[in-house]
Amino acid sequence: MTLGQREGPRSYDARVHWFRIEGGERLVGAVNIPGAKNSVLKLMAAALLAPGTSTVTNVPDIDDVGIMSELLRRLGCTVTHDRTGAALVIDVPERPDHRADYDLVRRMRASICVLGPLLARCGAADVALPGGDNIGSRGLDLHIAGLRRLGAQVSNEHGYLIAVAERLRGAEIWLDFPSVGATETLVMSAVLAEGRSVIDNVAREPEIVDICTMLVSMGARIHGIGSSTLTVEGVRELSPVRHATVPDRIVAGTYAVAAVMAGGSLEIRGARAEHVSLPLEKLATAGAVIGDAPDGFTVTMDGRPRAIDVVTLPYPGFPTDLQPQFIALNSIAEGAALVTENLFEARFRFVQELARLGADVRTDGHHALVRGRARLSGAPVEATDIRAGAGLVLAGLVADGVTEVYGVDHIDRGYAGLVPTLEGVGGRITREGLSP
Ligand code: UD1
C-alpha cells in the first residue's frame, strides 16, 4: 500500500513509515535475538581506546549503529561492515579527532559514550551535550564528577562538554547512583589512567560486563567485573581486538512478553535467560510456562495473563526498558497491577497512546495503576521512544481490528527486523509508507 491510497494522521508527510497491525493472531515459532543495542554502541566507542583494527561481531542491524559509525568516521576512524554484514571493522588512527558534534549527538544520546575513550586516548574531548529526550532529563553529573576525580578539568562551553587531562590519574570514586552511562564513561577512562582506580556502586548490567570483557581482552586490568565495585589498574596502552556483542536481553524480553500477550509458544533463540531472570519470573507469575531451549528459552501461554506488579530498578532489578511492554501486558490482564518507574520520570508518557487502544492506565508520579481490560480496540497511535513503541506494537498484536503505529523511526533505532520477525511467527504486521 502507498501513502496516496490512504490517509495517515495529519502531522505526517509522505516520507513517513508506519506499522499496520491486525490483532488477534497467536504467535508460534522461533525468533533470533541479535546483539544488544545498549552494548554494541559502547563496544564501538571502546575501540577508540586502541590504535589499529578492532572488530565487533554480532552487531544488530539498527539505525543507532549507523549513527555511531558516522560519529567514529568523523573522529577519523574507518568503519566498514565485513562480508557477513553482522561484524563491524573499525580502524582507529594513531591520533583520532576529539570532537563529537551536536548534529550527531542530538540524533543519538548514547554518543556521549565517546567522552571517556577520547579523553583517555587524546588527553581532551569535546562532546556536544545531548540534552534531554522523550523519557526524561538524563543528567551527566555523575560522569562529570567521576572524571574530575580522575584529574580531568571539565567545563561546559557553548553547548559542549569540554574535558581535558594530559593523563588521567587513578582515584577512588563512589557513584551516588549505579548509572549505566557513568559507569561506562569512568571505566573506559580509568583503563588508561596512571595508577589504580576503585569505582564503587557501579552498574552491573550485562552490557557493563560485556564492555569490561572487551576491555580486558584489549589488555585492560579490571577486577570485580559484574560486581558493584570495579578496581582498574591503569595501563599505558591497549591493543585492538575482536569481540562478540552480548545478546539483547531487552529484545528477548520484548518477544517473551509478545508470546504471553498474544498466546502461543515462542522459542527465543540466542538469548541468555539469566539476563532476564526477573522478567521471566514475572511472566511465569502471569501464567506463562518458561522452558529451556538449546540456545535460549521458550515461552508458552494459553489464556489471559494475570496482572503483575513491576518495580523498575538497576540490574539485577527489573529493567526500565521492559516497563512499557509490561504495562501493555497488564492492560489486557486479569486484575489490576501497580507499575513503579524509578529511573526515567517521563517514561509513562506513552500511556496516553495506549489509552487510544482502550487501555485503562492511571499515573501518579512514578506509579501507574493498570486495570486490565478484556479487549483493546485497534486505533492509530504514535511511538514516542523505542520501548514505548515496542509496547504499542505488542498492544496492537492483541487489539481487535487494525492498529497503526506511527513514529517507527524510534522503534527502528532498537529493534532489528521487528516486522519480519513477528510476521514469521504468525503476527499480522506490515511496514507501510514510502521510503525517505
Ligand atoms: C542506559 C540505557 C537505557 C536504559 C538505562 C537504564 C544505553 C544507550 N541506554 O541509559 O536504555 O534504560 O541505561 O538501564 O545504554 N543519571 C543522572 N546523572 C548521571 C547519569 C545518570 O542523574 O550522571 C540519571 C538519569 O537521568 C536517569 C538514571 O540516572 O534518570 C539512569 O541513567 P543511566 O543508568 O545512566 O542510563 P543511561 O546510561 O542513560
Side-chain angles (χ1 to χ4, degrees), residues 37-39 41-42 64 108-112 133 135-145 177-184 203 205 207 249-250 313-315 319-321 342-345 347 386-387 413:
K37 169 182 96 70
N38 286 353
S39 209
L41 304 172
K42 327 301 172 62
D64 276 10
M108 188 183 71
R109 194 185 182 284
S111 310
I112 195 72
D133 63 12
I135 62 172
S137 59
R138 312 192 81 169
L140 291 175
D141 51 318
L142 301 173
H143 302 240
I144 295 169
F177 175 87
S179 150
V180 170
T183 301
E184 290 161 348
E205 270 70 0
E207 294 78 27
R249 66 195 162 99
I250 304 301
L313 282 172
Y315 191 84
T320 173
D321 286 353
N342 287 315
L343 279 92
F344 293 110
E345 73 269 15
R347 210 153 212 181
I386 305 176
R387 311 304 169 187
R413 290 186 43 211

Short mmCIF file of all heavy atoms in Angstrom, two decimals, residues 37-39 41-42 64 108-112 133 135-145 177-184 203 205 207 249-250 313-315 319-321 342-345 347 386-387 413, ligand 1:
data_model
loop_
_atom_site.label_atom_id
_atom_site.label_comp_id
_atom_site.label_asym_id
_atom_site.label_seq_id
_atom_site.Cartn_x
_atom_site.Cartn_y
_atom_site.Cartn_z
N LYS A 37 21.74 -3.52 21.49
CA LYS A 37 21.95 -2.11 21.13
C LYS A 37 22.76 -1.40 22.20
O LYS A 37 23.73 -0.70 21.91
CB LYS A 37 20.60 -1.40 20.98
CG LYS A 37 20.72 0.11 20.86
CD LYS A 37 19.38 0.79 20.78
CE LYS A 37 18.87 1.32 22.09
NZ LYS A 37 19.59 2.46 22.64
N ASN A 38 22.36 -1.60 23.46
CA ASN A 38 23.00 -0.83 24.52
C ASN A 38 24.42 -1.29 24.82
O ASN A 38 25.11 -0.68 25.63
CB ASN A 38 22.15 -0.88 25.79
CG ASN A 38 20.91 -0.01 25.65
OD1 ASN A 38 20.78 0.73 24.67
ND2 ASN A 38 20.01 -0.10 26.61
N SER A 39 24.83 -2.39 24.19
CA SER A 39 26.21 -2.80 24.34
C SER A 39 27.03 -2.40 23.12
O SER A 39 28.11 -1.83 23.23
CB SER A 39 26.28 -4.32 24.51
OG SER A 39 27.37 -4.67 25.27
N LEU A 41 26.98 -0.11 20.94
CA LEU A 41 27.39 1.29 20.76
C LEU A 41 28.60 1.60 21.64
O LEU A 41 29.51 2.33 21.24
CB LEU A 41 26.23 2.22 21.11
CG LEU A 41 24.93 1.97 20.33
CD1 LEU A 41 23.79 2.80 20.90
CD2 LEU A 41 25.14 2.27 18.85
N LYS A 42 28.62 1.02 22.83
CA LYS A 42 29.73 1.26 23.76
C LYS A 42 30.96 0.48 23.33
O LYS A 42 32.09 0.94 23.51
CB LYS A 42 29.35 0.88 25.19
CG LYS A 42 27.89 1.09 25.57
CD LYS A 42 27.45 2.53 25.43
CE LYS A 42 25.93 2.68 25.63
NZ LYS A 42 25.42 2.31 26.92
N ASP A 64 20.86 3.05 15.12
CA ASP A 64 21.85 3.65 16.01
C ASP A 64 23.28 3.21 15.68
O ASP A 64 24.23 3.97 15.90
CB ASP A 64 21.54 3.30 17.48
CG ASP A 64 20.51 4.27 18.07
OD1 ASP A 64 19.92 5.05 17.30
OD2 ASP A 64 20.30 4.24 19.30
N MET A 108 21.49 10.84 18.66
CA MET A 108 21.64 9.65 19.49
C MET A 108 22.36 10.00 20.78
O MET A 108 23.56 10.26 20.80
CB MET A 108 22.43 8.59 18.72
CG MET A 108 22.45 7.27 19.45
SD MET A 108 23.44 6.08 18.61
CE MET A 108 25.07 6.73 18.91
N ARG A 109 21.61 10.01 21.85
CA ARG A 109 22.14 10.44 23.13
C ARG A 109 23.31 9.57 23.59
O ARG A 109 24.22 10.03 24.26
CB ARG A 109 21.00 10.36 24.15
CG ARG A 109 21.34 11.08 25.38
CD ARG A 109 20.32 10.95 26.45
NE ARG A 109 20.77 11.75 27.56
CZ ARG A 109 21.73 11.39 28.39
NH1 ARG A 109 22.33 10.24 28.24
NH2 ARG A 109 22.10 12.21 29.37
N ALA A 110 23.29 8.29 23.17
CA ALA A 110 24.36 7.38 23.59
C ALA A 110 25.72 7.80 23.03
O ALA A 110 26.76 7.26 23.44
CB ALA A 110 24.03 5.95 23.16
N SER A 111 25.75 8.80 22.12
CA SER A 111 27.04 9.29 21.60
C SER A 111 27.95 9.76 22.72
O SER A 111 29.17 9.84 22.55
CB SER A 111 26.83 10.48 20.65
OG SER A 111 25.88 10.20 19.69
N ILE A 112 27.36 10.09 23.86
CA ILE A 112 28.15 10.58 24.99
C ILE A 112 29.19 9.53 25.41
O ILE A 112 30.20 9.86 26.04
CB ILE A 112 27.22 10.94 26.18
CG1 ILE A 112 27.94 11.77 27.24
CG2 ILE A 112 26.60 9.73 26.82
CD1 ILE A 112 28.23 13.17 26.82
N ASP A 133 15.59 13.86 26.57
CA ASP A 133 14.87 13.21 25.48
C ASP A 133 13.48 12.84 25.95
O ASP A 133 13.04 13.32 27.00
CB ASP A 133 15.64 12.00 24.93
CG ASP A 133 15.83 10.91 25.97
OD1 ASP A 133 15.19 10.98 27.03
OD2 ASP A 133 16.61 9.99 25.72
N ILE A 135 12.18 10.39 27.34
CA ILE A 135 11.91 9.62 28.55
C ILE A 135 12.40 10.32 29.82
O ILE A 135 12.20 9.82 30.90
CB ILE A 135 12.47 8.18 28.48
CG1 ILE A 135 13.98 8.15 28.32
CG2 ILE A 135 11.77 7.39 27.37
CD1 ILE A 135 14.57 6.74 28.44
N GLY A 136 13.05 11.47 29.67
CA GLY A 136 13.44 12.19 30.88
C GLY A 136 14.63 13.10 30.68
O GLY A 136 15.12 13.28 29.57
N SER A 137 15.11 13.64 31.80
CA SER A 137 16.13 14.69 31.72
C SER A 137 17.53 14.13 31.48
O SER A 137 18.33 14.73 30.80
CB SER A 137 16.11 15.52 33.00
OG SER A 137 16.35 14.68 34.11
N ARG A 138 17.86 12.99 32.03
CA ARG A 138 19.10 12.29 31.77
C ARG A 138 20.36 13.12 32.02
O ARG A 138 21.05 13.56 31.10
CB ARG A 138 19.09 11.71 30.35
CG ARG A 138 17.80 10.99 30.08
CD ARG A 138 17.82 10.17 28.83
NE ARG A 138 18.45 8.90 29.02
CZ ARG A 138 18.41 7.91 28.14
NH1 ARG A 138 17.77 8.05 27.03
NH2 ARG A 138 19.00 6.77 28.37
N GLY A 139 20.65 13.30 33.32
CA GLY A 139 21.79 14.12 33.72
C GLY A 139 23.13 13.47 33.40
O GLY A 139 23.22 12.29 33.07
N LEU A 140 24.18 14.29 33.49
CA LEU A 140 25.55 13.80 33.27
C LEU A 140 26.44 14.09 34.47
O LEU A 140 27.66 13.96 34.40
CB LEU A 140 26.16 14.47 32.03
CG LEU A 140 25.55 14.08 30.68
CD1 LEU A 140 26.17 14.91 29.57
CD2 LEU A 140 25.75 12.60 30.41
N ASP A 141 25.81 14.53 35.59
CA ASP A 141 26.60 14.95 36.74
C ASP A 141 27.54 13.86 37.25
O ASP A 141 28.67 14.14 37.67
CB ASP A 141 25.67 15.45 37.87
CG ASP A 141 24.57 14.45 38.18
OD1 ASP A 141 24.01 13.88 37.23
OD2 ASP A 141 24.29 14.23 39.36
N LEU A 142 27.10 12.60 37.19
CA LEU A 142 27.95 11.53 37.72
C LEU A 142 29.15 11.28 36.80
O LEU A 142 30.25 10.97 37.27
CB LEU A 142 27.14 10.24 37.89
CG LEU A 142 25.93 10.36 38.83
CD1 LEU A 142 25.10 9.10 38.80
CD2 LEU A 142 26.41 10.64 40.26
N HIS A 143 28.93 11.42 35.50
CA HIS A 143 30.06 11.29 34.55
C HIS A 143 31.10 12.39 34.88
O HIS A 143 32.29 12.12 34.99
CB HIS A 143 29.62 11.53 33.10
CG HIS A 143 28.54 10.62 32.59
ND1 HIS A 143 28.74 9.80 31.50
CD2 HIS A 143 27.27 10.41 32.97
CE1 HIS A 143 27.63 9.13 31.24
NE2 HIS A 143 26.72 9.50 32.11
N ILE A 144 30.59 13.61 35.03
CA ILE A 144 31.48 14.76 35.20
C ILE A 144 32.23 14.68 36.54
O ILE A 144 33.46 14.84 36.59
CB ILE A 144 30.67 16.08 35.10
CG1 ILE A 144 30.10 16.20 33.69
CG2 ILE A 144 31.53 17.29 35.46
CD1 ILE A 144 29.08 17.30 33.51
N ALA A 145 31.48 14.38 37.61
CA ALA A 145 32.13 14.31 38.93
C ALA A 145 33.21 13.23 38.92
O ALA A 145 34.31 13.42 39.46
CB ALA A 145 31.08 14.03 40.00
N PHE A 177 24.57 6.89 42.37
CA PHE A 177 23.54 6.03 41.79
C PHE A 177 24.26 5.14 40.77
O PHE A 177 25.17 5.62 40.08
CB PHE A 177 22.50 6.93 41.10
CG PHE A 177 21.45 6.18 40.35
CD1 PHE A 177 20.31 5.73 40.99
CD2 PHE A 177 21.60 5.90 39.00
CE1 PHE A 177 19.34 5.02 40.30
CE2 PHE A 177 20.64 5.19 38.31
CZ PHE A 177 19.50 4.75 38.96
N PRO A 178 23.88 3.86 40.67
CA PRO A 178 24.61 2.98 39.73
C PRO A 178 24.22 3.24 38.27
O PRO A 178 23.56 2.44 37.62
CB PRO A 178 24.21 1.57 40.17
CG PRO A 178 22.93 1.72 40.88
CD PRO A 178 22.89 3.11 41.47
N SER A 179 24.64 4.40 37.78
CA SER A 179 24.31 4.80 36.40
C SER A 179 25.08 3.96 35.39
O SER A 179 26.30 3.79 35.51
CB SER A 179 24.65 6.28 36.24
OG SER A 179 25.03 6.56 34.90
N VAL A 180 24.36 3.45 34.40
CA VAL A 180 24.98 2.66 33.34
C VAL A 180 26.00 3.53 32.58
O VAL A 180 27.17 3.18 32.42
CB VAL A 180 23.90 2.12 32.38
CG1 VAL A 180 24.51 1.50 31.13
CG2 VAL A 180 23.01 1.12 33.11
N GLY A 181 25.53 4.70 32.12
CA GLY A 181 26.39 5.56 31.31
C GLY A 181 27.62 6.03 32.07
O GLY A 181 28.74 6.02 31.54
N ALA A 182 27.43 6.45 33.34
CA ALA A 182 28.57 6.96 34.11
C ALA A 182 29.57 5.83 34.36
O ALA A 182 30.79 6.03 34.28
CB ALA A 182 28.08 7.57 35.43
N THR A 183 29.07 4.64 34.65
CA THR A 183 29.98 3.51 34.87
C THR A 183 30.83 3.30 33.62
O THR A 183 32.06 3.14 33.70
CB THR A 183 29.18 2.23 35.20
OG1 THR A 183 28.39 2.48 36.37
CG2 THR A 183 30.09 1.04 35.45
N GLU A 184 30.18 3.32 32.46
CA GLU A 184 30.92 3.10 31.21
C GLU A 184 31.95 4.20 30.97
O GLU A 184 33.11 3.92 30.63
CB GLU A 184 29.94 3.04 30.04
CG GLU A 184 29.10 1.78 30.08
CD GLU A 184 27.82 1.86 29.26
OE1 GLU A 184 27.44 2.97 28.82
OE2 GLU A 184 27.20 0.82 29.07
N ALA A 203 27.13 0.28 38.00
CA ALA A 203 26.06 -0.50 37.39
C ALA A 203 26.59 -1.90 37.09
O ALA A 203 27.79 -2.09 36.84
CB ALA A 203 25.59 0.18 36.10
N GLU A 205 24.81 -4.13 34.90
CA GLU A 205 24.08 -4.67 33.75
C GLU A 205 24.97 -5.59 32.91
O GLU A 205 26.19 -5.38 32.84
CB GLU A 205 23.61 -3.49 32.86
CG GLU A 205 22.26 -2.90 33.19
CD GLU A 205 22.21 -2.12 34.50
OE1 GLU A 205 23.23 -2.02 35.21
OE2 GLU A 205 21.12 -1.61 34.83
N GLU A 207 25.46 -5.49 29.93
CA GLU A 207 26.18 -4.69 28.94
C GLU A 207 27.47 -4.11 29.54
O GLU A 207 28.45 -3.89 28.82
CB GLU A 207 25.28 -3.54 28.43
CG GLU A 207 24.06 -4.02 27.63
CD GLU A 207 22.93 -4.56 28.50
OE1 GLU A 207 22.81 -4.12 29.67
OE2 GLU A 207 22.16 -5.41 28.02
N ARG A 249 19.06 -8.46 25.76
CA ARG A 249 18.10 -9.00 26.73
C ARG A 249 16.77 -8.27 26.65
O ARG A 249 15.72 -8.82 26.99
CB ARG A 249 18.68 -8.95 28.16
CG ARG A 249 18.89 -7.57 28.67
CD ARG A 249 19.80 -7.51 29.89
NE ARG A 249 20.28 -6.14 30.05
CZ ARG A 249 19.76 -5.25 30.89
NH1 ARG A 249 18.77 -5.59 31.67
NH2 ARG A 249 20.24 -4.03 30.94
N ILE A 250 16.79 -7.02 26.22
CA ILE A 250 15.53 -6.26 26.14
C ILE A 250 14.70 -6.73 24.94
O ILE A 250 13.48 -6.89 25.03
CB ILE A 250 15.80 -4.74 26.07
CG1 ILE A 250 16.67 -4.30 27.28
CG2 ILE A 250 14.50 -3.96 26.00
CD1 ILE A 250 16.07 -4.57 28.65
N LEU A 313 14.26 -1.06 38.58
CA LEU A 313 15.45 -0.78 39.39
C LEU A 313 16.69 -1.11 38.56
O LEU A 313 16.58 -1.86 37.57
CB LEU A 313 15.46 -1.67 40.64
CG LEU A 313 14.55 -1.25 41.80
CD1 LEU A 313 14.55 -2.33 42.86
CD2 LEU A 313 14.98 0.08 42.39
N PRO A 314 17.86 -0.60 38.96
CA PRO A 314 19.08 -1.01 38.25
C PRO A 314 19.25 -2.54 38.31
O PRO A 314 18.78 -3.18 39.26
CB PRO A 314 20.20 -0.31 39.02
CG PRO A 314 19.54 0.87 39.66
CD PRO A 314 18.15 0.42 39.99
N TYR A 315 19.91 -3.11 37.32
CA TYR A 315 20.16 -4.55 37.26
C TYR A 315 20.84 -5.03 38.54
O TYR A 315 21.72 -4.32 39.04
CB TYR A 315 21.07 -4.83 36.06
CG TYR A 315 21.20 -6.29 35.71
CD1 TYR A 315 20.27 -6.91 34.92
CD2 TYR A 315 22.27 -7.03 36.20
CE1 TYR A 315 20.38 -8.26 34.59
CE2 TYR A 315 22.39 -8.38 35.88
CZ TYR A 315 21.45 -8.98 35.08
OH TYR A 315 21.56 -10.30 34.76
N PRO A 319 14.21 -4.30 34.55
CA PRO A 319 14.70 -3.25 33.65
C PRO A 319 13.64 -2.23 33.24
O PRO A 319 12.54 -2.61 32.82
CB PRO A 319 15.17 -4.02 32.42
CG PRO A 319 14.56 -5.37 32.49
CD PRO A 319 14.20 -5.64 33.93
N THR A 320 13.98 -0.97 33.37
CA THR A 320 13.08 0.10 32.90
C THR A 320 12.77 -0.06 31.41
O THR A 320 11.70 0.32 30.96
CB THR A 320 13.69 1.49 33.19
OG1 THR A 320 12.87 2.48 32.59
CG2 THR A 320 15.10 1.64 32.66
N ASP A 321 13.70 -0.65 30.66
CA ASP A 321 13.48 -0.79 29.21
C ASP A 321 12.43 -1.85 28.87
O ASP A 321 12.08 -2.02 27.71
CB ASP A 321 14.80 -1.12 28.50
CG ASP A 321 15.71 0.10 28.41
OD1 ASP A 321 15.27 1.21 28.77
OD2 ASP A 321 16.87 -0.05 27.97
N ASN A 342 11.31 3.87 38.47
CA ASN A 342 12.26 4.58 39.33
C ASN A 342 13.41 5.21 38.57
O ASN A 342 14.26 5.85 39.18
CB ASN A 342 12.84 3.60 40.36
CG ASN A 342 11.83 3.26 41.44
OD1 ASN A 342 11.16 4.15 41.96
ND2 ASN A 342 11.70 1.99 41.75
N LEU A 343 13.49 5.01 37.25
CA LEU A 343 14.67 5.51 36.54
C LEU A 343 14.42 6.73 35.67
O LEU A 343 15.20 7.68 35.71
CB LEU A 343 15.32 4.38 35.72
CG LEU A 343 16.18 3.52 36.63
CD1 LEU A 343 15.39 2.36 37.18
CD2 LEU A 343 17.42 3.04 35.95
N PHE A 344 13.36 6.69 34.89
CA PHE A 344 13.12 7.79 33.95
C PHE A 344 11.75 8.40 34.20
O PHE A 344 10.72 7.72 34.03
CB PHE A 344 13.27 7.32 32.50
CG PHE A 344 14.68 6.94 32.17
CD1 PHE A 344 15.02 5.62 31.95
CD2 PHE A 344 15.68 7.89 32.11
CE1 PHE A 344 16.33 5.25 31.66
CE2 PHE A 344 17.00 7.55 31.82
CZ PHE A 344 17.32 6.23 31.59
N GLU A 345 11.73 9.70 34.56
CA GLU A 345 10.48 10.30 35.05
C GLU A 345 9.41 10.43 33.97
O GLU A 345 8.23 10.47 34.30
CB GLU A 345 10.78 11.66 35.70
CG GLU A 345 11.14 12.80 34.76
CD GLU A 345 12.63 12.95 34.49
OE1 GLU A 345 13.38 11.99 34.80
OE2 GLU A 345 13.04 13.99 33.96
N ARG A 347 8.76 8.31 31.50
CA ARG A 347 8.54 7.07 30.75
C ARG A 347 7.08 6.63 30.69
O ARG A 347 6.74 5.71 29.96
CB ARG A 347 9.40 5.97 31.35
CG ARG A 347 9.77 5.01 30.30
CD ARG A 347 11.03 4.28 30.48
NE ARG A 347 11.60 4.03 29.16
CZ ARG A 347 12.71 3.37 28.94
NH1 ARG A 347 13.42 2.92 29.95
NH2 ARG A 347 13.15 3.19 27.73
N ILE A 386 11.82 4.30 21.86
CA ILE A 386 11.98 2.92 21.39
C ILE A 386 11.07 1.96 22.13
O ILE A 386 10.34 1.16 21.54
CB ILE A 386 13.44 2.42 21.63
CG1 ILE A 386 14.45 3.35 20.98
CG2 ILE A 386 13.61 1.01 21.12
CD1 ILE A 386 15.89 2.93 21.28
N ARG A 387 11.14 1.99 23.45
CA ARG A 387 10.43 0.98 24.24
C ARG A 387 8.93 1.24 24.29
O ARG A 387 8.14 0.31 24.33
CB ARG A 387 11.01 0.89 25.65
CG ARG A 387 12.51 0.77 25.70
CD ARG A 387 13.07 -0.41 24.91
NE ARG A 387 14.52 -0.31 24.77
CZ ARG A 387 15.27 -1.11 24.03
NH1 ARG A 387 14.71 -2.06 23.29
NH2 ARG A 387 16.58 -0.95 23.97
N ARG A 413 15.36 2.25 15.77
CA ARG A 413 16.63 2.51 16.46
C ARG A 413 17.05 1.33 17.33
O ARG A 413 18.23 1.21 17.66
CB ARG A 413 16.51 3.76 17.35
CG ARG A 413 16.40 5.04 16.58
CD ARG A 413 16.44 6.21 17.52
NE ARG A 413 17.47 6.00 18.52
CZ ARG A 413 17.43 6.44 19.77
NH1 ARG A 413 16.41 7.14 20.17
NH2 ARG A 413 18.42 6.19 20.60
C1 UD1 B 1 21.15 3.20 29.69
C2 UD1 B 1 20.44 2.60 28.52
C3 UD1 B 1 18.95 2.76 28.66
C4 UD1 B 1 18.49 2.19 29.98
C5 UD1 B 1 19.28 2.78 31.13
C6 UD1 B 1 18.96 2.18 32.48
C7 UD1 B 1 22.01 2.93 26.71
C8 UD1 B 1 22.27 3.58 25.41
N1 UD1 B 1 20.86 3.28 27.31
O1 UD1 B 1 20.88 4.60 29.68
O2 UD1 B 1 18.31 2.07 27.58
O3 UD1 B 1 17.11 2.49 30.15
O4 UD1 B 1 20.69 2.59 30.89
O5 UD1 B 1 19.11 0.81 32.44
O6 UD1 B 1 22.76 2.10 27.18
N2 UD1 B 1 21.60 10.00 35.84
C9 UD1 B 1 21.94 11.17 36.47
N3 UD1 B 1 23.22 11.63 36.35
C10 UD1 B 1 24.16 10.96 35.63
C11 UD1 B 1 23.80 9.77 34.98
C12 UD1 B 1 22.50 9.31 35.11
O7 UD1 B 1 21.12 11.79 37.10
O8 UD1 B 1 25.31 11.44 35.55
C13 UD1 B 1 20.21 9.53 35.94
C14 UD1 B 1 19.48 9.59 34.61
O9 UD1 B 1 18.94 10.86 34.36
C15 UD1 B 1 18.43 8.52 34.79
C16 UD1 B 1 19.12 7.47 35.66
O10 UD1 B 1 20.20 8.15 36.28
O11 UD1 B 1 17.33 9.03 35.47
C17 UD1 B 1 19.60 6.26 34.92
O12 UD1 B 1 20.56 6.65 33.97
P1 UD1 B 1 21.70 5.68 33.44
O13 UD1 B 1 21.74 4.42 34.24
O14 UD1 B 1 22.96 6.45 33.29
O15 UD1 B 1 21.13 5.29 32.00
P2 UD1 B 1 21.76 5.60 30.58
O16 UD1 B 1 23.18 5.16 30.54
O17 UD1 B 1 21.41 6.98 30.17
#
